[in-house]
Amino acid sequence: MKRKVFDLRQWARVRRCTESVLRVPGHVIVDLAIHEVTGPKDVPFGDQTIRVVDHGYRWVRVHPTGSGEGVPGSALSAMLDEGGQLVQLYVDLHGGEGLTDAGLPWHDDLYLDVIANWVVDERGHGQVTEAHIIDREDLDDAVRAGLVDAAQAEATWTHAAQVRAELLAGTYPPLAVLRRYLEDPYT
């Protein structure tokens, strides 16, 4: 597994940004406001392409705290466009997580991720209507390289399927934290 720290301030694509970090019960929220980029970033999603980075976008990370190293889990990143509308949800599956001394979240990446769209209906209620498990090749490569064993890989697939189902049902726990934060940023 590789350890990743969620800190995009030094991302080469981002020219100018501000980042705030907020601790709430059971989670840390990292809100990255992207003011200026070197160029937009578009990603495939099913049969379409979604823009996930551009001038004025935000990435909000809802990261659990407290499980520590070696405990499987997941963390949610939400990409919002310049109008504040959710355009994509991205879930990192991990084999442990925590916080750096600077208070930024880290996780031991298990390579599979789950991406989901967010659709707002005519009443203004949002929900996930489509979700995909991605990066199968990355997990397969990690197994071949001995970074993840077969049992971990199987457990990761099971966890990914569970996260996907929870996203589609609207029951994925970090979604409630994200909604609360976007409605009232714990000010």
Side-chain angles (χ1 to χ4, degrees), residues 40-43 49-55 57 79-82 87-88:
K41 179 172 178 68
D42 298 329
V43 296
T49 300
I50 297 175
R51 177 150 296 165
V52 295
V53 174
D54 206 345
H55 305 300
Y57 275 50
M79 292 73 177
L80 293 86
D81 67 16
E82 69 279 356
V87 294
Q88 185 179 57

Side-chain angles (χ1 to χ4, degrees), residues 22 24 29 31 58 176-187:
L22 176 67
V24 299
I29 296 173
D31 192 337
R58 285 171 57 203
V177 177
L178 176 67
R179 284 183 179 132
R180 166 92 168 82
Y181 176 73
L182 293 177
E183 290 170 5
D184 177 15
Y186 298 92
T187 53

Side-chain angles (χ1 to χ4, degrees), residues 3 26 63-75 94-99 105-108:
R3 181 156 292 175
H63 196 93
T65 58
S67 71
E69 290 189 54
V71 179
S74 60
H94 61 71
E97 70 3 70
L99 299 175
W106 61 262
H107 70 270
D108 291 332

